[in-house]
Amino acid sequence: MEKNSRKQIMFYGVGTIGRDMAYSIVSMYLMYFLTDVMDLSVGAIAKITVIFMILRIFDAVNDPIMGVMVDRTRSKYGKFKPWLFFGAFASAVATTLLFVDYPVSENVYLVLFGLIYLFWDISYSAHDIPYWGMLPTLTRDQKLREKAGAFARICANIGAFSMAVGIVPITNALTKVFEPTHGLKAENMAYFVLALIISVLMVVFLLITVFFVKQNPSIKADNKQHSVKEMLKAVLANDQLLWIIVSMALFQIAYITTISMGLHYFEYILHDKDAYSGFAVILGIMQILALILLPQFTKRFTRKTVFTFGIILVSLGYIGLYFSLSIIPVYVSGLALFFGEGLIQLLMLMFITDCVEYGEWKLHQRNESITLSLQSFINKLGGSIATGITGFALILSGIKDEGHTADMVLPESGVLTFKTAMFVIPLLVIMLSYFLYRKKYIIDEKFYAKMVEEIENR
């Protein structure tokens, strides 16, 4: 990678733009589609919430298994690219099918939805695991790895937050287009068409990575065909990986819970749904800015110092959001929250990536895919629990019971329930995440350099 690092970083990073557009519309807006567009009953939403939680936990557990399958793949195209290629097309089909308004009864719809969502979970993992698994094979250089990871995260955020910014105006525009032909079902059609467009973009961007990214030849692949038992044993023996996974899981559960409740927060608490797009712009800009600046920060400060700074900003953002009563304070609080989260997001990826070398150093076994699959495991576990919290918060706060009209006024107890689920509980969980990181994770810059030197001298 070092010879053509700039091109390789670009080709690798852009591959995730469409993937994260697809992931965002499903993880952040599928629940809104079901509650406010499909207008399912309270009972159906409760069942959907349980379905979400069960299937996402299943898929989270399935991710390490997928990682083992990728690591055991042998082909003339390598072990990553075949999965990226076929996974992209399967995931595109599944994403589109999730937003179809099927003309069936509610109970039949729930069964159909569960099967399609399971298909989506598995097919998304089929390209998500190998995509991030490629990162440690691009370079051993920590600074180049940070740049590659930062650009990939920037591209991921461009994809994700193009959805956050565009979801309301795009679906509103498409709804007007379909109103003459679809009437009350126009918004349903708008979401379907948007999902279809995103699915096509996902395939196009992933194919760029498939055809143009080259693995660094100086990093020798572990060609030994390890058994599943050997691989899982190696992961479980990697104590640094396990601790950072627990810490990151807690952080992701908290953060995804807050983001998942965002659109409902603006519509039912602040009563200004259109202002959500402005909040999403802040979210996207601040996270991308954090990703751009992180390599500069780590030149001057240790990763641990930068991580602590990110936690402080996130905490200030949560406190500000809880006490905000109008749009401007919400926006200001978002500046701190999302800049801090951007720093933490990339640092967590780097911590997990460095655990590949830690496993190679300690256990003499290099497993990129199964190691990086745990990042996907974390995101999906976080999404599962966040979906559960969101679904039950909507019910317990009274939003669904009151008929969920945008101009309704929730009782004070309902507002308190919603804000506690969105801000208070996540902040407490983030504090626990930070405590575990500081106490248990020991791979700093000096320790990493020592590991690489010993590995290369073997």
Side-chain angles (χ1 to χ4, degrees):
M1 177 177 175
E2 281 77 357
K3 292 182 179 179
N4 299 291
S5 59
R6 185 172 296 179
K7 288 183 179 179
Q8 289 297 291
I9 288 172
M10 181 186 71
F11 292 145
Y12 177 71
V14 297
T16 200
I17 293 176
R19 291 178 354 97
D20 279 86
M21 292 175 73
Y23 188 79
S24 293
I25 195 173
V26 173
S27 65
M28 295 171 64
Y29 304 110
L30 182 56
M31 178 63 83
Y32 183 83
F33 172 76
L34 296 170
T35 59
D36 288 55
V37 179
M38 291 289 291
D39 196 23
L40 298 178
S41 66
V42 174
I45 293 301
K47 293 175 184 176
I48 285 282
T49 298
V50 174
I51 290 172
F52 268 137
M53 294 182 68
I54 292 173
L55 292 182
R56 284 182 174 175
I57 290 173
F58 162 80
D59 190 51
V61 174
N62 179 60
D63 281 347
I65 299 174
M66 184 69 72
V68 170
M69 293 171 65
V70 173
D71 273 334
R72 289 173 58 84
T73 298
R74 300 292 183 268
S75 78
K76 65 179 182 179
Y77 304 107
K79 61 184 178 181
F80 302 115
K81 292 185 177 182
W83 290 95
L84 290 174
F85 184 85
F86 292 108
F89 286 97
S91 186
V93 172
T95 301
T96 305
L97 291 177
L98 280 174
F99 291 88
V100 174
D101 184 359
Y102 300 97
V104 295
S105 67
E106 194 167 76
N107 287 333
V108 173
Y109 177 83
L110 292 177
V111 174
L112 188 60
F113 175 84
L115 293 173
I116 295 172
Y117 191 82
L118 177 62
F119 174 43
W120 180 85
D121 265 346
I122 295 172
S123 62
Y124 192 89
S125 293
H127 60 77
D128 189 51
I129 303 305
Y131 179 82
W132 294 110
M134 289 182 75
L135 180 58
T137 71
L138 301 180
T139 181
R140 283 195 194 273
D141 184 285
Q142 264 195 323
K143 297 305 178 184
L144 274 178
R145 190 176 281 181
E146 280 182 6
K147 290 181 180 178
F151 186 68
R153 282 299 186 186
I154 288 170
C155 290
N157 284 351
I158 289 173
F161 301 122
S162 64
M163 280 293 89
V165 174
I167 189 77
V168 174
I170 292 174
T171 53
N172 284 347
L174 288 172
T175 297
K176 291 180 180 179
V177 171
F178 290 114
E179 275 179 351
T181 55
H182 290 77
L184 296 176
K185 295 289 186 179
E187 191 174 10
N188 305 54
M189 191 65 183
Y191 271 84
F192 167 74
V193 171
L194 179 58
L196 178 61
I197 293 170
I198 290 169
S199 297
V200 172
L201 291 175
M202 174 170 57
V203 172
V204 171
F205 282 116
L206 264 177
L207 290 181
I208 293 174
T209 297
V210 169
F211 291 120
F212 295 106
V213 171
K214 308 296 181 184
Q215 181 178 333
N216 189 326
S218 67
I219 300 178
K220 296 180 181 179
D222 185 355
N223 291 317
K224 181 181 177 182
Q225 193 75 291
H226 295 286
S227 68
V228 173
K229 183 178 180 180
E230 287 176 325
M231 287 185 170
L232 293 177
K233 184 178 179 180
V235 170
L236 294 174
N238 191 326
D239 56 293
Q240 291 302 289
L241 176 62
L242 295 181
W243 281 119
I244 205 62
I245 287 301
V246 173
S247 176
M248 186 176 178
L250 291 171
F251 184 88
Q252 286 296 96
I253 289 168
Y255 178 71
I256 296 174
T257 295
T258 300
I259 294 302
S260 298
M261 299 175 74
L263 193 53
H264 289 98
Y265 173 71
F266 274 83
E267 182 164 3
Y268 299 117
I269 305 299
L270 298 178
H271 303 289
D272 192 348
K273 178 182 175 182
D274 292 338
Y276 178 77
S277 294
F279 188 68
V281 169
I282 292 173
L283 188 157
I285 291 175
M286 295 312 294
Q287 287 202 337
I288 291 173
L289 181 62
L291 295 171
I292 292 172
L293 293 178
L294 179 63
Q296 302 303 316
F297 289 167
T298 55
K299 287 180 180 179
R300 295 169 175 80
F301 308 100
T302 65
R303 285 179 171 182
K304 185 169 289 187
T305 299
V306 178
F307 191 88
T308 300
F309 176 60
I311 289 291
I312 292 171
L313 289 177
V314 167
S315 301
L316 292 174
Y318 268 105
I319 294 169
L321 285 169
Y322 181 83
F323 289 104
S324 295
L325 300 176
S326 60
I327 298 300
I328 298 302
V330 167
Y331 281 4
V332 173
S333 299
L335 294 173
L337 172 61
F338 298 127
F339 188 84
E341 194 279 334
L343 297 175
I344 294 168
Q345 176 189 120
L346 180 55
L347 285 171
M348 285 287 194
L349 174 61
M350 293 299 101
F351 295 154
I352 293 177
T353 304
D354 288 350
C355 288
V356 173
E357 274 72 28
Y358 182 78
E360 186 178 8
W361 172 75
K362 180 181 179 182
L363 307 167
H364 297 264
Q365 187 170 321
R366 185 178 179 89
N367 299 305
E368 296 97 349
S369 294
I370 190 172
T371 300
L372 271 294
S373 74
L374 295 177
Q375 178 193 219
S376 179
F377 168 84
I378 290 166
N379 290 334
K380 289 173 180 175
L381 179 65
S384 172
I385 296 174
T387 298
I389 294 172
T390 300
F392 289 117
L394 292 176
I395 295 171
L396 294 174
S397 64
I399 288 177
K400 284 298 296 182
D401 291 341
E402 293 292 334
H404 57 282
T405 58
D407 58 348
M408 75 182 192
V409 178
L410 286 177
E412 187 175 335
S413 60
V415 173
L416 180 62
T417 297
F418 191 92
K419 293 177 75 172
T420 298
M422 186 174 182
F423 303 126
V424 178
I425 294 175
L427 180 57
L428 293 175
V429 173
I430 286 172
M431 290 297 99
L432 177 58
S433 166
Y434 177 67
F435 174 79
L436 290 176
Y437 161 73
R438 288 302 298 258
K439 290 292 183 181
K440 297 296 183 179
Y441 190 74
I442 64 172
I443 305 176
D444 57 15
E445 290 83 348
K446 291 182 179 179
F447 192 91
Y448 180 84
K450 173 189 173 183
M451 290 192 303
V452 171
E453 182 181 1
E454 292 185 14
I455 290 170
E456 292 179 345
N457 289 334
R458 285 174 182 169

Coordinates of all heavy atoms in Angstrom, one line a residue, residues 63-64 67-68 71 129 132-133 136 231 234-235 238 241-242 244-245 349 351-360 365-378:
D63 N -22.0 -13.0 13.1 CA -20.9 -12.3 12.5 C -19.5 -13.0 12.7 O -18.7 -13.1 11.8 CB -20.9 -10.8 13.0 CG -21.9 -10.0 12.3 OD1 -22.4 -10.4 11.2 OD2 -22.1 -8.9 12.7
P64 N -19.2 -13.4 14.0 CA -17.9 -14.1 14.1 C -17.9 -15.4 13.3 O -16.8 -15.7 12.8 CB -17.9 -14.4 15.6 CG -18.7 -13.3 16.3 CD -19.8 -13.1 15.3
G67 N -17.0 -14.3 10.0 CA -15.6 -14.0 10.0 C -14.7 -15.2 9.8 O -13.7 -15.2 9.1
V68 N -15.1 -16.3 10.5 CA -14.3 -17.6 10.4 C -14.4 -18.1 8.9 O -13.4 -18.5 8.3 CB -14.9 -18.7 11.3 CG1 -14.3 -20.0 11.0 CG2 -14.6 -18.3 12.8
D71 N -12.1 -16.0 6.8 CA -10.7 -16.3 7.0 C -10.3 -17.6 6.4 O -9.1 -17.9 6.1 CB -10.4 -16.2 8.5 CG -10.1 -14.8 9.0 OD1 -9.5 -14.1 8.2 OD2 -10.3 -14.5 10.2
I129 N -18.2 -7.9 6.9 CA -17.1 -8.6 7.5 C -15.8 -8.5 6.7 O -14.8 -8.1 7.2 CB -17.4 -10.0 7.9 CG1 -18.7 -10.1 8.8 CG2 -16.2 -10.7 8.5 CD1 -18.6 -9.3 10.0
W132 N -14.2 -4.7 6.3 CA -13.4 -4.2 7.4 C -12.2 -5.1 7.7 O -11.1 -4.7 8.2 CB -14.2 -4.0 8.7 CG -15.2 -2.9 8.5 CD1 -16.5 -3.0 8.4 CD2 -14.9 -1.5 8.4 NE1 -17.1 -1.7 8.2 CE2 -16.1 -0.8 8.2 CE3 -13.7 -0.7 8.3 CZ2 -16.2 0.6 8.0 CZ3 -13.7 0.6 8.2 CH2 -15.0 1.3 8.0
G133 N -12.4 -6.4 7.3 CA -11.3 -7.3 7.4 C -10.1 -7.0 6.5 O -9.0 -7.4 6.8
P136 N -6.6 -4.4 8.0 CA -5.2 -4.7 8.5 C -4.3 -5.2 7.4 O -3.1 -5.3 7.7 CB -5.5 -5.8 9.6 CG -7.0 -5.6 9.9 CD -7.6 -5.2 8.6
M231 N -9.6 -21.0 15.6 CA -9.8 -19.6 15.4 C -10.6 -19.0 16.6 O -10.2 -17.9 17.1 CB -10.6 -19.3 14.1 CG -9.8 -19.6 12.8 SD -10.8 -19.1 11.4 CE -9.5 -19.2 10.1
A234 N -8.4 -18.7 19.5 CA -7.4 -17.6 19.3 C -8.1 -16.2 19.7 O -7.5 -15.4 20.3 CB -6.9 -17.5 17.9
V235 N -9.3 -16.1 19.3 CA -10.1 -14.8 19.6 C -10.3 -14.7 21.1 O -10.1 -13.7 21.8 CB -11.4 -14.8 18.9 CG1 -12.3 -13.6 19.4 CG2 -11.1 -14.6 17.4
N238 N -7.4 -13.7 23.1 CA -6.9 -12.3 22.8 C -7.6 -11.4 23.8 O -8.6 -10.8 23.6 CB -7.2 -11.9 21.4 CG -6.5 -10.7 21.0 OD1 -6.3 -9.7 21.8 ND2 -6.2 -10.6 19.7
L241 N -8.4 -7.8 22.8 CA -9.6 -7.7 21.9 C -10.9 -7.8 22.6 O -11.8 -7.1 22.4 CB -9.5 -8.9 20.8 CG -10.7 -9.0 19.9 CD1 -10.8 -7.7 19.0 CD2 -10.5 -10.2 19.0
L242 N -11.0 -8.7 23.6 CA -12.2 -8.9 24.3 C -12.6 -7.7 25.2 O -13.7 -7.3 25.2 CB -12.1 -10.2 25.2 CG -11.9 -11.5 24.5 CD1 -11.8 -12.6 25.5 CD2 -13.1 -11.7 23.5
I244 N -11.6 -4.5 24.6 CA -12.0 -3.4 23.8 C -13.4 -3.6 23.1 O -14.2 -2.7 22.9 CB -11.0 -3.0 22.7 CG1 -11.1 -1.6 22.3 CG2 -11.0 -3.9 21.5 CD1 -10.9 -0.6 23.4
I245 N -13.7 -4.9 22.9 CA -15.0 -5.3 22.4 C -16.1 -4.9 23.4 O -17.2 -4.3 23.0 CB -15.1 -6.8 22.0 CG1 -14.3 -7.0 20.8 CG2 -16.5 -7.2 21.8 CD1 -14.7 -6.3 19.5
L349 N -12.0 1.7 16.1 CA -11.7 0.9 15.0 C -10.2 0.6 15.0 O -9.7 -0.5 14.7 CB -12.0 1.6 13.7 CG -11.6 0.9 12.4 CD1 -12.2 -0.5 12.3 CD2 -12.0 1.8 11.2
F351 N -8.2 0.5 17.6 CA -7.9 -0.4 18.7 C -8.1 -1.8 18.4 O -7.4 -2.7 18.7 CB -8.7 0.0 20.0 CG -8.5 1.4 20.5 CD1 -9.4 2.1 21.2 CD2 -7.2 2.0 20.4 CE1 -9.2 3.3 21.8 CE2 -7.0 3.2 20.9 CZ -8.0 3.9 21.6
I352 N -9.3 -2.0 17.7 CA -9.6 -3.4 17.3 C -8.6 -3.9 16.2 O -8.2 -5.0 16.3 CB -11.1 -3.5 16.7 CG1 -12.1 -3.2 17.8 CG2 -11.3 -4.8 16.1 CD1 -13.5 -3.2 17.4
T353 N -8.3 -3.0 15.3 CA -7.3 -3.4 14.2 C -6.0 -3.8 14.8 O -5.3 -4.7 14.4 CB -7.2 -2.2 13.2 OG1 -8.5 -1.9 12.7 CG2 -6.3 -2.6 12.1
D354 N -5.5 -3.0 15.8 CA -4.2 -3.3 16.4 C -4.2 -4.7 17.1 O -3.2 -5.2 17.4 CB -3.8 -2.2 17.4 CG -3.4 -0.9 16.7 OD1 -3.3 -0.9 15.4 OD2 -3.3 0.1 17.4
C355 N -5.4 -5.1 17.5 CA -5.5 -6.4 18.2 C -5.2 -7.6 17.2 O -5.0 -8.7 17.7 CB -6.9 -6.6 18.8 SG -7.2 -5.6 20.2
V356 N -5.3 -7.3 15.9 CA -4.8 -8.3 14.9 C -3.3 -8.6 15.2 O -2.9 -9.8 15.3 CB -5.1 -7.9 13.5 CG1 -4.4 -8.9 12.5 CG2 -6.5 -7.7 13.2
E357 N -2.5 -7.6 15.3 CA -1.1 -7.8 15.5 C -0.9 -8.3 16.9 O 0.1 -9.1 17.2 CB -0.3 -6.4 15.4 CG 0.1 -6.1 14.0 CD -1.0 -5.7 13.1 OE1 -2.0 -5.2 13.5 OE2 -0.9 -5.9 11.8
Y358 N -1.7 -7.9 17.9 CA -1.6 -8.5 19.2 C -1.8 -10.0 19.3 O -1.0 -10.7 19.9 CB -2.6 -7.8 20.2 CG -2.5 -8.2 21.6 CD1 -1.5 -7.7 22.5 CD2 -3.4 -9.2 22.1 CE1 -1.4 -8.2 23.8 CE2 -3.3 -9.6 23.5 CZ -2.3 -9.1 24.3 OH -2.2 -9.5 25.6
G359 N -2.8 -10.4 18.5 CA -3.0 -11.9 18.4 C -1.9 -12.6 17.7 O -1.5 -13.7 18.1
E360 N -1.4 -11.9 16.7 CA -0.2 -12.5 16.0 C 1.0 -12.6 16.8 O 1.8 -13.6 16.8 CB 0.0 -11.7 14.7 CG 1.1 -12.3 13.8 CD 1.3 -11.5 12.5 OE1 0.8 -10.4 12.4 OE2 2.1 -12.0 11.6
Q365 N -0.9 -16.4 15.5 CA -2.0 -16.6 14.6 C -2.6 -15.3 14.2 O -3.0 -14.5 15.0 CB -3.0 -17.6 15.2 CG -4.1 -18.0 14.3 CD -5.0 -19.2 14.9 OE1 -4.4 -20.0 15.5 NE2 -6.3 -19.1 14.6
R366 N -2.7 -15.1 12.9 CA -3.3 -13.8 12.4 C -4.6 -14.1 11.8 O -4.8 -14.8 10.7 CB -2.3 -13.2 11.3 CG -2.7 -11.9 10.8 CD -1.7 -11.3 9.8 NE -2.1 -10.0 9.3 CZ -1.8 -8.9 9.9 NH1 -1.0 -8.9 11.0 NH2 -2.2 -7.7 9.4
N367 N -5.7 -13.5 12.3 CA -7.0 -13.6 11.9 C -7.7 -12.3 11.7 O -8.3 -11.8 12.6 CB -7.8 -14.5 12.9 CG -7.3 -15.9 13.1 OD1 -7.1 -16.6 12.1 ND2 -6.9 -16.2 14.3
E368 N -7.6 -11.7 10.5 CA -8.1 -10.4 10.3 C -9.7 -10.4 10.3 O -10.3 -9.5 11.0 CB -7.7 -9.8 8.9 CG -6.2 -9.6 8.8 CD -5.5 -10.8 8.1 OE1 -6.1 -11.8 7.9 OE2 -4.3 -10.6 7.7
S369 N -10.3 -11.3 9.6 CA -11.7 -11.2 9.4 C -12.5 -11.5 10.7 O -13.4 -10.8 11.0 CB -12.2 -12.2 8.3 OG -11.7 -11.7 7.0
I370 N -12.1 -12.5 11.4 CA -12.9 -12.8 12.6 C -12.6 -11.8 13.6 O -13.5 -11.4 14.4 CB -12.5 -14.2 13.1 CG1 -13.4 -14.6 14.3 CG2 -11.0 -14.3 13.6 CD1 -13.3 -16.0 14.7
T371 N -11.4 -11.2 13.6 CA -11.2 -10.1 14.6 C -12.0 -8.9 14.3 O -12.7 -8.3 15.1 CB -9.7 -9.7 14.6 OG1 -8.9 -10.8 15.0 CG2 -9.4 -8.5 15.5
L372 N -12.0 -8.4 13.0 CA -12.8 -7.2 12.6 C -14.3 -7.5 12.5 O -15.1 -6.6 12.6 CB -12.3 -6.7 11.2 CG -11.1 -5.7 11.3 CD1 -11.6 -4.4 11.9 CD2 -9.9 -6.2 12.0
S373 N -14.6 -8.8 12.5 CA -16.1 -9.1 12.5 C -16.7 -8.7 13.8 O -17.9 -8.5 13.9 CB -16.3 -10.6 12.2 OG -16.0 -11.4 13.4
L374 N -15.9 -8.7 14.8 CA -16.4 -8.3 16.1 C -16.9 -6.8 16.1 O -17.7 -6.4 17.0 CB -15.4 -8.6 17.2 CG -15.1 -10.1 17.4 CD1 -14.0 -10.2 18.4 CD2 -16.3 -10.8 17.8
Q375 N -16.3 -6.0 15.2 CA -16.8 -4.6 15.1 C -18.3 -4.6 14.6 O -19.1 -3.9 15.1 CB -15.9 -3.8 14.1 CG -16.5 -2.4 13.9 CD -15.8 -1.7 12.7 OE1 -15.5 -0.5 12.8 NE2 -15.6 -2.4 11.7
S376 N -18.5 -5.5 13.6 CA -19.9 -5.6 13.1 C -20.8 -6.2 14.2 O -21.9 -5.8 14.3 CB -19.9 -6.5 11.8 OG -21.2 -6.7 11.3
F377 N -20.3 -7.2 14.9 CA -21.0 -7.8 16.0 C -21.4 -6.7 17.0 O -22.6 -6.7 17.4 CB -20.1 -8.8 16.7 CG -20.6 -9.3 18.0 CD1 -21.6 -10.3 18.1 CD2 -20.2 -8.7 19.2 CE1 -22.1 -10.8 19.3 CE2 -20.7 -9.2 20.4 CZ -21.6 -10.2 20.5
I378 N -20.5 -5.8 17.3 CA -20.8 -4.7 18.3 C -21.9 -3.8 17.7 O -22.9 -3.4 18.4 CB -19.6 -3.9 18.5 CG1 -18.6 -4.7 19.3 CG2 -19.9 -2.6 19.3 CD1 -17.2 -4.1 19.4

